[in-house]
Amino acid sequence: MRQSKLFTKTRKEAPKDEVSKNAQLLIRAGFVHKEMAGVYSFLPLGLRVLKKIENIIREEMNTIGGQEMQMATLHPSENWKTTGGWDNVDILFKVKSRTGKEYAIGQSEEEIITPIAKEYVNSYKDLPLAIYQIGQKYRDELRAKSGVMRGREFGMKDMYSFHDTQEDFDRFYEIVKQSYFTVYEKIGLVAKATEAHGGDFSKKISYEFMVVTDAGEDNIIYCDECTHCSNEEISKVKEGESCPKCKKSSLKKAKASEAGNIFDLSRKYSEDFNLTYKTKDGDIKNPIMGCYGIGTTRLMGIIVEKFSDERGITWPKSVAPFAVHLIQVGDSDEVTSEARRMYQYLTDSNVEILFDDRAVRTGEKFADADLIGIPFRVVVSEKTLANGQLEVTDRATGVTKFISEHELLDIAV
Ligand code: ATP
Ligand code: MG
């Protein structure tokens, strides 16, 4: 992509009412556009990052047998009345048509997937099933001050599973838990799983996947020596107490953001919608269900909170909008032709590249590159032409190396 043709430009200031670091940087660098508190449009650069996050999640969900679909977001109110959500879910947006018909806007999709499953699940042979989607959710959140980490419109991967037996549910639950750790690791984040009792209709433990960040809205109590971690809101133990699990260390407290969670729905929704199947013994039963969420746009915000410095964003390579930012310094014929050759060569070698071919000051190019945060910056200038090697700077560490084109391919593809 040639930067001279890029739809967006960087800006010096974020909107005055934007208090969160993630949104300030994402807005200034041209990744998102703020429509109002809690609602953002994703611009070309932002969409590239979001798609990368989604694809990492998609790959893991497919690996564990998930089948992707797209569920409706405009929901019949009847489905929400069936489950009680119409009156009990305070964050549910409701709309009325001009003929007075009422609808819910999807904040979660149990009310859609369960009736769909009813059409296709008849026998234990149809189970287990894991169906997911990656798409928009809408919630009437009271406070939306955390940028893309808490939207009133936001992106989520939500998966729903259906099982014949408790053992089968337990087996799959553990598989999903492990796949979540893989997702966060691939994105470059470390998540801790907090155990919580699963609320009204669940017997099993639910897990929240927490990433430590000062921008988080939760507090976790965790142990440095083992995996013990709990959400302070529900925790039986306090900061400074001895770890109840390993007893080796005293518990610490940190701010964290919930990057995902997995939840045992038991038979709540299969009973509400009378979703039944025939067991091996010929009995008629309601399947056990689980739901599994990951906040895709929240993840993007968490990444920016964790991977940024005073100059801008420092994207991990796995989710960066481009791998290489090629910067032309100077406009002599030699420099121009070498920069264009390099752009073509790297593009042909499958390197995702943003080519700063704009006629602006060098200082502005570097400042923009720092703000946008592409992992590797490659400069083509009279100086690099003279020494015949590429000048490659790692955005995160600031370390500059002089390497060959071949070596660049090794690190950037
Ligand atoms: P929270 O406690 O942060 O409100 P939640 O328990 O309501 O989260 P779920 O309903 O389980 O969350 O949604 C699954 C995931 O979607 C969450 O783990 C989080 O990553 C993300 N998420 C939830 N609400 C929002 C929001 N308003 N904006 C962005 N992401 C969200
Ligand atoms: Mg919530």
Side-chain angles (χ1 to χ4, degrees), residues 339-380:
R340 286 182 185 167
R341 184 198 66 78
M342 181 92 68
Y343 175 52
Q344 198 54 50
Y345 169 75
L346 292 173
T347 303
D348 292 346
S349 310
N350 293 324
V351 176
E352 291 182 289
I353 177 165
L354 182 64
F355 173 25
D356 194 348
D357 59 338
R358 298 173 303 161
V360 299
R361 284 183 304 108
T362 305
E364 192 176 329
K365 290 191 175 190
F366 286 156
D368 281 353
D370 282 344
L371 180 59
I372 293 170
I374 294 167
F376 301 107
R377 184 166 79 199
V378 177
V379 173
V380 175

Side-chain angles (χ1 to χ4, degrees), residues 258-277:
E258 186 189 307
N261 69 25
I262 64 176
F263 210 83
D264 171 12
L265 297 173
S266 193
R267 297 191 170 82
K268 154 76 183 156
Y269 291 92
S270 56
E271 282 172 2
D272 282 351
F273 287 104
N274 197 24
L275 161 64
T276 58
Y277 68 100

Side-chain angles (χ1 to χ4, degrees), residues 91 107 139 141 150 154 258 298:
I91 51 162
Q107 65 89 22
R139 293 186 181 181
E141 302 277 6
R150 181 165 304 279
F154 61 97
E258 186 189 307
R298 179 175 291 180

Side-chain angles (χ1 to χ4, degrees), residues 183-217:
V183 165
Y184 301 124
E185 198 184 309
K186 284 193 175 172
I187 287 172
L189 296 171
V190 179
K192 296 177 186 293
T194 69
E195 293 185 4
H197 285 284
D200 301 345
F201 33 80
S202 158
K203 291 165 210 75
K204 262 198 90 73
I205 299 244
S206 75
Y207 292 97
E208 297 168 336
F209 295 81
M210 293 287 190
V211 177
V212 171
T213 163
D214 284 341
E217 296 178 6

Side-chain angles (χ1 to χ4, degrees), residues 225-237:
E225 295 288 327
C226 73
T227 56
H228 177 84
C229 185
S230 53
N231 193 321
E232 191 183 32
E233 243 180 44
I234 45 167
S235 177
K236 292 199 189 82
V237 285

